[in-house]
Amino acid sequence: MLSKAKTNFLSEWFSNPKQDILSGLVVAFAMIPEAIAFSGIAGVDPQVGLFGAFCLSITIALVGGRMGMITSATGSTALLMTGLVATGNAQGEGLGLSYLIAAGLLTGVFQIIWGYLRLAYQMRFVPTGVLSGFVNALALLIFQAQLPQMGINLHYGEVSDLNHTDPILQGMQYPIVWLLIILGLFIIYGLPKITRIIPSQLIAILVITMISIVLNLDIPTVRDLSVGGGLPEGLPNFSIPFGSTADGKVPFNLETFGIVLPTALAISLVGLMETFLTQDILDDITDTNSNKNKEARGQGIANIISSFFGGMAGCALVGQSVMNTENGGKTRLSTFSSGISLLLIVLVFKQWLEQIPMAALVAVMISIAISTADINGLKNISKIPRSDTAVMLMTFSVTMITTPHNLALGVIAGVALAGILFSRKVAKVIEIKSIKISSEEIIYEVTGQLFFVSKIYFLQGFDIHDHPQKVKIDMSKAHIWDQSGVAALDQIIRKLTLGGSVVEVIGLNEESNNLFDRLGGQESSHG
């Protein structure tokens, strides 16, 4: 009889081998253009994204908390790297990549810590408005990152040069690039209406590449992303980013730590947020449960491994994960297969990949931006509560106005606003009802939660200028949560007592009573 551990191992890896391997192969084709494009967004060679996709997929298949989920370089993490890479490159050649790798290592450490601190449980407190603002900002940033490849440079308010120097060729390139992008989008959105056997994004890349080769179009390609083409020549090698700046390395000291810390912290939080969202989607599709805290630790380990082998940090991919599930990929073997297939395809078809026009990748990234955005939420914005809309706009706005754009700060701002708006709603729930028994006795019935936000409404419910001989405050339908609540009740007791009334607090539950006994400043009857 097989042991339970061995049975679980076989179930997690080999319960569906044929479909898992085939699904992993298809997903690998969809991962390649994104990994290359996200490398461009971050400002590094394509091989950095490809090595990252390979290492992340292989590692997360072994240590992740969700079977069948695809992890790779992503737009949300790449966008956070742009400023760090630019800062490093300004200091010296190769330093941008070394800073990025160092940030990836620190990102992994943070994510392992978040996993042990059970950060996933705190996702319960992230409202839908924040998630909507997060994905909408991410979608716009992904689209905005494509504009330079379309000949638009918003930073300077003028047309960019599409990486070429010949002004005549520049003028000819713009309409060609735009037409190819439009053709790519037409294929991406039109082909699924006919067949879904092969991913439409892959077909779009093949068609645009063939047109470019056959017509010998002089337009930017993947080869132009770096001087040497930037695609892998072989398997990734183990290396560390620390050393002499003359060798393109960064020193291992507090100064380097200070430079990479903000980026690493942001990537660790944003990456886990996107990963947890993807995990929830797959759990819902498959009607299963998975371990988010184990996944957080797995993501951390995967980012450390990826960084040591020259890859960029990443997180779970929503689109590819859903694609894997829909294609029948259920076990860890499908994730493992996607990583192996990706590297084999890149090594075998390197010369072909270098000829992919950037226009094809721009079309793919625009489609990803559209699928990333919360289109349904935007369509129904008039039906959504104004508080949720305000939270969404806060998350979106803070992300867009920060320099560099910071998704983590956007999320923090959105959660903070959501907390304030929620507190205001809860505060108004407290109710004070005055019952006049006689001219000498009044009972105040308190209903609701008494804490720092509802304190003002609590105080307004009492007539402190009316001083009958006896006042009862009935708290049997209320609860005191904090010191502010105790202070508010204590304040009412003190003012009524100073006016000559005998005050009695009744109905306090045990927890509220104990809190009042510890913090209350008045000698009063409260039973």
Side-chain angles (χ1 to χ4, degrees):
M1 181 178 292
L2 294 174
S3 66
K4 184 176 180 180
K6 190 172 183 179
T7 301
N8 289 338
F9 174 80
L10 293 174
S11 174
E12 289 185 358
W13 281 88
F14 301 110
S15 61
N16 187 40
K18 180 181 177 181
Q19 202 65 34
D20 283 333
I21 293 174
L22 290 176
S23 179
L25 178 61
V26 173
V27 169
F29 275 105
M31 290 168 65
I32 290 172
E34 291 192 19
I36 294 174
F38 291 142
S39 299
I41 289 176
V44 294
D45 290 345
Q47 75 170 18
V48 179
L50 293 169
F51 279 161
F54 165 70
C55 293
L56 289 168
S57 296
I58 297 300
T59 308
I60 207 67
L62 300 171
V63 299
R66 164 77 235 182
M67 294 189 298
M69 191 161 69
I70 305 299
T71 293
S72 179
T74 65
S76 59
T77 54
L79 287 164
L80 296 171
M81 302 171 186
T82 306
L84 180 64
V85 173
T87 299
N89 288 336
Q91 296 179 12
E93 185 178 353
L95 294 184
L97 177 59
S98 293
Y99 276 127
L100 182 147
I101 299 301
L105 291 171
L106 187 57
T107 293
V109 173
F110 276 135
Q111 290 180 330
I112 292 174
I113 293 173
W114 303 149
Y116 280 110
L117 292 179
R118 300 179 178 273
L119 181 66
Y121 293 142
Q122 310 311 314
M123 282 291 291
R124 296 172 298 175
F125 303 108
V126 179
T128 302
V130 172
L131 301 180
S132 178
F134 172 84
V135 296
N136 287 331
L138 175 58
L140 182 58
L141 290 174
I142 291 175
F143 176 78
Q144 185 175 299
Q146 309 314 306
L147 295 180
Q149 296 296 339
M150 299 164 67
I152 302 172
N153 191 334
L154 292 180
H155 184 68
Y156 295 102
E158 58 188 23
V159 178
S160 69
D161 64 0
L162 281 176
N163 298 327
H164 280 255
T165 57
D166 190 329
I168 298 177
L169 292 177
Q170 289 175 13
M172 296 295 293
Q173 286 170 352
Y174 301 134
I176 296 174
V177 168
W178 277 79
L179 287 173
L180 291 178
I181 292 172
I182 293 171
L183 174 62
L185 292 172
F186 179 80
I187 295 172
I188 290 171
Y189 289 105
L191 185 63
K193 298 179 180 179
I194 302 173
T195 179
R196 293 180 178 271
I197 296 177
I198 303 177
S200 60
Q201 293 177 334
L202 179 60
I203 296 298
I205 293 171
L206 291 173
V207 170
I208 293 175
T209 302
M210 291 303 299
I211 291 175
S212 176
I213 294 174
V214 172
L215 298 181
N216 194 27
L217 299 177
D218 183 20
I219 56 177
T221 65
V222 170
R223 185 184 291 110
D224 297 318
L225 286 176
S226 67
V227 176
L231 291 179
E233 298 288 346
L235 294 172
N237 297 317
F238 180 88
S239 64
I240 59 174
F242 306 111
S244 171
T245 54
D247 298 325
K249 306 287 186 178
V250 294
F252 185 74
N253 56 26
L254 289 177
E255 182 181 357
T256 298
F257 178 79
I259 292 173
V260 303
L261 176 61
T263 300
L265 185 60
I267 294 173
S268 71
L269 294 173
V270 170
L272 285 186
M273 174 169 283
E274 188 166 351
T275 295
F276 293 156
L277 288 174
T278 305
Q279 209 166 346
D280 284 337
I281 291 171
L282 294 189
D283 286 353
D284 182 59
I285 292 175
T286 60
D287 195 24
T288 58
N289 294 317
S290 55
N291 190 327
K292 283 190 174 67
N293 292 307
K294 181 179 179 181
E295 182 65 33
R297 297 191 294 270
Q299 291 283 330
I301 295 171
N303 279 322
I304 291 174
I305 297 297
S306 173
S307 299
F308 275 133
F309 284 91
M312 60 197 296
C315 63
L317 286 165
V318 178
Q320 277 71 11
S321 296
V322 173
M323 178 190 298
N324 185 46
T325 301
E326 291 178 345
N327 289 335
K330 298 178 180 179
T331 71
R332 297 181 184 274
L333 182 61
S334 64
T335 307
F336 189 86
S337 173
S338 68
I340 293 293
S341 299
L342 179 145
L343 189 63
L344 290 176
I345 293 170
V346 170
L347 295 180
V348 174
F349 298 103
K350 178 178 181 293
Q351 292 182 339
W352 176 82
L353 288 174
E354 288 181 338
Q355 298 181 64
I356 296 177
M358 292 304 299
L361 298 185
V362 170
V364 170
M365 297 307 296
I366 290 176
S367 69
I368 291 172
I370 293 172
S371 63
T372 299
D374 181 18
I375 302 297
N376 187 55
L378 293 174
K379 285 181 179 179
N380 298 302
I381 196 168
S382 61
K383 302 176 182 178
I384 297 174
R386 285 182 295 177
S387 59
D388 290 345
T389 300
V391 169
M392 184 273 286
L393 291 175
M394 172 65 80
T395 305
F396 178 85
S397 300
V398 171
T399 298
M400 298 307 299
I401 64 177
T402 50
T403 304
H405 302 299
N406 196 317
L407 288 160
L409 285 180
V411 169
I412 292 171
V415 171
L417 178 60
I420 293 171
L421 295 176
F422 174 75
S423 296
R424 289 186 60 189
K425 290 179 181 179
V426 173
K428 294 179 180 180
V429 171
I430 198 164
E431 181 181 354
I432 314 296
K433 184 179 180 181
S434 174
I435 303 175
K436 191 167 185 178
I437 304 299
S438 67
S439 59
E440 300 300 324
E441 182 178 0
I442 292 180
I443 297 178
Y444 288 99
E445 290 186 352
V446 183
T447 303
Q449 312 302 314
L450 180 55
F451 64 118
F452 69 98
V453 176
S454 61
K455 172 182 176 180
I456 184 66
Y457 298 99
F458 174 79
L459 296 175
Q460 291 173 352
F462 292 85
D463 185 358
I464 58 174
H465 302 293
D466 184 15
H467 299 290
Q469 184 177 354
K470 188 173 184 181
V471 175
K472 286 186 179 180
I473 302 176
D474 185 358
M475 301 286 290
S476 57
K477 297 179 181 178
H479 185 89
I480 302 177
W481 285 101
D482 60 7
Q483 185 177 0
S484 295
V486 171
L489 179 57
D490 197 55
Q491 181 178 340
I492 290 297
I493 295 172
R494 185 176 67 256
K495 289 187 176 182
L496 291 175
T497 301
L498 289 175
S501 299
V502 176
V503 181
E504 181 183 9
V505 179
I506 63 173
L508 275 176
N509 58 43
E510 183 177 357
E511 184 178 349
S512 300
N513 193 33
N514 291 337
L515 185 62
F516 191 81
D517 279 338
R518 294 201 309 271
L519 303 177
Q522 287 291 322
E523 297 268 348
S524 59
S525 173
H526 49 279

